[in-house]
Amino acid sequence: MAAVAVSSGCSAHDGTREPEGRRAPSKTARAEPAQKGERKPEPKTAGQFVARAREAMRAEKGWTFALRGSESAVMQGQAPSSATYTAAVHRTTAPVALQQTGTVITSKGERKPEAVYVVGGTGYVKEGVEAWKKGALSDPDIANEVEDPLAELDTFAGYAKSATVARTGTGVRLRVSASGWQLSAARNRPALERAAREVQPTLDQLRKAGVTATDSQITLKDFSETWDLDGEAQGYRVASHRYAFTFLVPFRSGDITVSQEVRADNRGVFGGHVTLPSGV
């Protein structure tokens, strides 16, 4: 099988369900707006926590994230094909721009630098010594390379109703999980569209190598997306975002297990600017 390429990407899909919100205020409440500095009502639903997190993240000029990712394709009796990825991400909020620089390391020990930029709504990607490629964020080849936690948070708001809410020692954890879906059906589920898109490059490689399984034969073994939010004092801002999935691809008398995991940890406020390198 061809070497697996890590795809740490920004979702191109939009959720079909709106996040839960607070009840509309009464006439009395509208007539008497809250005094400056008055404490906001405590969120209760996942949608309300997401709304507060989005507000807290938009309140700063930018953020820095540490990114770690891994991807593998494993068939019983053969050495796995895998890759890992680490990167630093700077994301500004006004204007919206992103700089992501990191390194891909394959299971063979090969190292390849990667640079990703999003400026003016367009993505720019450079892998190793290859030329820059440019495209819309709706292009899967571009989207699979972009890891934008703030854009992911906006997308998550569309299906946050299905998330569980749990208190942690320092804040709140929101989690969505799924299993058993056929890939053909997963493509139309808001929470699973990203996983279906990001597994596609590996499936393309497997099919070139002779795997004939169709989308309806490929099964989602498990999927999870987890948002850890800081406590109320920090406005429930994002502390970390993790998503992971495993698909089972039938081949001969067994399965090829294709897995991916990506985690972004918030490293604090970013006060700089993101601009394209010269020559791009």
Side-chain angles (χ1 to χ4, degrees), residues 49-279:
F49 279 111
V50 170
R52 291 286 292 273
R54 294 172 73 187
E55 181 181 349
M57 299 304 284
R58 287 195 298 261
E60 298 291 347
K61 178 181 178 180
W63 298 91
T64 296
F65 296 88
L67 179 66
R68 294 176 291 163
S70 63
E71 184 173 302
S72 65
V74 181
M75 184 167 64
Q76 187 175 2
Q78 293 192 13
S81 176
S82 64
T84 60
Y85 181 58
T86 57
V89 177
H90 299 306
R91 168 57 150 84
T92 59
T93 57
V96 173
L98 178 141
Q99 175 187 339
Q100 176 182 319
T101 54
T103 304
V104 177
I105 304 175
T106 71
S107 53
K108 297 179 180 180
E110 299 169 337
R111 301 173 66 92
K112 181 171 64 175
E114 182 180 80
V116 179
Y117 286 81
V118 175
V119 176
T122 299
Y124 303 80
V125 178
K126 182 175 177 59
E127 299 174 311
V129 298
E130 297 177 10
W132 285 92
K133 59 182 179 181
K134 169 186 174 181
L137 297 180
S138 57
D139 180 348
D141 287 341
I142 298 296
N144 283 347
E145 304 299 334
V146 178
E147 178 64 29
D148 185 346
L150 272 65
E152 283 299 313
L153 184 63
D154 291 341
T155 300
F156 181 67
Y159 52 89
K161 288 182 180 180
S162 59
T164 60
V165 179
R167 295 286 180 174
T168 64
T170 57
V172 176
R173 173 168 293 173
L174 311 178
R175 188 173 187 270
V176 171
S177 60
S179 63
W181 289 86
Q182 294 177 335
L183 177 57
S184 54
R187 295 187 187 282
N188 299 316
R189 302 296 300 178
L192 303 178
E193 285 182 356
R194 177 181 177 180
R197 188 194 75 229
E198 293 204 356
V199 77
Q200 192 61 50
T202 300
L203 295 180
D204 291 343
Q205 294 180 55
L206 292 176
R207 283 165 175 159
K208 288 180 180 178
V211 176
T212 60
T214 65
D215 285 1
S216 61
Q217 295 172 318
I218 297 171
T219 304
L220 178 68
K221 180 181 179 181
D222 54 62
F223 165 85
S224 65
E225 181 175 5
T226 305
W227 291 89
D228 283 328
L229 309 180
D230 286 330
E232 183 179 18
Q234 293 80 31
Y236 299 105
R237 68 183 184 186
V238 173
S240 69
H241 175 223
R242 173 185 175 273
Y243 78 92
F245 62 77
T246 298
F247 283 95
L248 299 179
V249 183
F251 182 63
R252 294 177 180 169
S253 58
D255 291 315
I256 299 172
T257 304
V258 179
S259 300
Q260 185 181 135
E261 179 177 343
V262 178
R263 176 171 178 143
D265 291 299
N266 191 341
R267 294 295 187 238
V269 174
F270 173 67
H273 300 274
V274 173
T275 57
L276 291 175
S278 60

